[in-house]
Amino acid sequence: MKIAVLGAGAIGAYVGAALHRAGVEVHLIARGAHLAAMREHGVRVLSPRGDFTARPHATDSPSEVGEVDYVFLGLKAYSYASSGDLLAPLLGPGTAVIAAQNGIPWWYFHGMTGHPLEGQRIEAVDPGGSVTAVLPMERAIGCVVYCSTEIQAPGVIRHLEGTRFSIGEPDRSISPRCVALSEAMIAGGLKCPVEKDVREDIWIKLMGNVAFNPLSALTRATMVEICEHEDSRDLVAQMMAETLTIARAAGCDPQISIDKRIDGARRVGHHKTSMLQDLEAGKRLEIDAIIGAVVEIAELTRVPAPTLRHVYAAIDLLSRTSLVS
């Protein structure tokens, strides 16, 4: 098995190191000081489950790697459309692409045989079909990440919590390529269930992201601060309720309690969401996949979602003004 990790940042380098430890041929594609450190010293993982160092091949040139069996995408979803030149050398006739992204993926309605929206393109995450042109939907394997990592220093990954990477085919089949990938991930010390419908995991994780990410960026508050403020907690609950209604209208029925989801977020403590961290770092905000696509699906399914719409308008304005400030 040959795997390329395109965008070997905190999550990508951690997954690559785990797979390499399992004996998989792994190629990490990165840049800058992080790449230089991985080339010289390997990937050093610091984890409560045990520290280890792995030395997979690391490069900034996909053409040096060639065709692989799997590409693990560690890029932000908004980078997919512009990643064609990086992806092209890695893609053979049977190469699968694991999109480890937050929010709604570009392939969401692909393979939903019998659903009224089967094959529907979601403009927010596939504008003008630009992502599909780079990543044909038949290559896609869905992936929901329940793992928290950070780059502590170039080449050094701090694993904070979680090892679960749920994967699944858009057409709900249990495919040989998913089973083989799952076995390799498990051999590397990760959890990797093959889900019959990975969309349920997408919505369960999204319930938290759709509310806490934009609200934290708008307020600069941590997750526990949002949960312990009565009015903002009510706002989160309303956003989650609208999201569940949209999910069900889109053909998925996540089995999760809103109160349980909020309480789980509260227990995380004074954690800054990824969107707040990106805002503070002056980076582009990942709003299209996390909330824009949800609002678009609400329109497609004719589900009223006033709270999500209002918060989306606010975070979209912040995103636009923060980029030009």
Side-chain angles (χ1 to χ4, degrees):
M1 182 183 292
K2 183 179 179 182
I3 295 180
V5 179
L6 180 57
I11 288 290
Y14 176 64
V15 169
L19 286 168
H20 184 267
R21 186 168 60 166
V24 175
E25 181 185 343
V26 175
H27 301 268
L28 304 179
I29 301 169
R31 60 187 179 183
H34 184 52
L35 170 61
M38 292 191 295
R39 277 174 162 167
E40 186 171 357
H41 304 293
V43 181
R44 185 182 175 199
V45 176
L46 308 178
S47 171
R49 304 175 72 243
D51 301 347
F52 69 96
T53 298
R55 297 181 178 274
H57 174 239
T59 181
D60 59 359
S61 175
S63 60
E64 188 179 306
V65 176
E67 295 180 3
V68 297
D69 299 307
Y70 300 89
V71 176
F72 184 95
L73 276 183
L75 305 172
K76 294 281 192 178
Y78 55 67
S79 299
Y80 289 178
S82 61
S83 65
D85 290 344
L86 293 172
L87 277 163
L90 305 172
L91 301 179
T95 304
V97 176
I98 303 99
Q101 67 165 91
N102 284 321
I104 299 294
W106 83 99
W107 54 260
Y108 186 83
F109 288 113
H110 174 65
M112 293 184 70
T113 304
H115 191 277
L117 293 175
E118 197 277 331
Q120 173 71 45
R121 180 168 56 83
I122 303 173
E123 185 70 19
V125 289
D126 190 12
S130 56
V131 175
T132 301
V134 172
L135 293 168
M137 294 187 184
E138 61 270 16
R139 292 192 184 274
I141 292 177
C143 179
V144 182
V145 178
Y146 296 95
C147 175
S148 179
T149 59
E150 62 185 19
I151 299 178
Q152 180 167 301
V156 181
I157 306 300
R158 171 71 66 178
H159 172 231
L160 302 171
E161 62 178 356
T163 60
R164 181 179 167 191
F165 295 77
S166 298
I167 63 172
E169 293 284 357
D171 67 1
R172 299 186 175 99
S173 65
I174 305 298
S175 66
R177 67 181 186 175
C178 277
V179 171
L181 177 63
S182 172
E183 290 173 348
M185 296 275 276
I186 291 168
L190 306 175
K191 296 178 181 177
C192 189
V194 180
E195 305 288 357
K196 184 173 182 181
D197 195 347
V198 74
R199 291 175 181 84
E200 182 166 338
D201 274 27
I202 287 173
W203 285 105
I204 289 173
K205 185 175 182 185
L206 182 57
M207 280 177 65
N209 285 339
V210 77
F212 287 106
N213 269 278
L215 290 178
S216 68
L218 290 165
T219 65
R220 307 321 198 256
T222 64
M223 291 173 70
V224 70
E225 288 169 340
I226 294 171
C227 292
E228 292 183 349
H229 183 273
E230 184 176 350
D231 289 340
S232 61
R233 181 187 174 100
D234 289 346
L235 181 57
V236 167
Q238 183 60 40
M239 294 176 74
M240 287 186 174
E242 290 180 3
T243 300
L244 277 176
T245 302
I246 295 164
R248 288 164 183 152
C252 192
D253 188 16
Q255 298 301 305
I256 185 70
S257 158
I258 290 174
D259 286 340
K260 181 178 179 181
R261 192 71 179 83
I262 294 175
D263 287 342
R266 180 182 56 79
R267 288 193 296 273
V268 171
H270 289 284
H271 170 72
K272 292 183 179 181
T273 68
S274 59
M275 194 174 288
L276 176 54
Q277 292 179 50
D278 285 346
L279 179 68
E280 292 180 341
K283 296 179 180 179
R284 179 176 173 180
L285 304 187
E286 196 174 17
I287 64 172
D288 294 328
I290 288 176
I291 186 167
V294 180
V295 171
E296 185 174 341
I297 294 174
E299 294 171 353
L300 291 170
T301 55
R302 300 181 180 179
V303 173
T307 312
L308 288 169
R309 290 176 185 276
H310 294 155
V311 173
Y312 176 51
I315 193 63
D316 183 53
L317 178 58
L318 175 62
S319 178
R320 292 169 188 268
T321 55
S322 66
L323 284 175
V324 299
S325 62

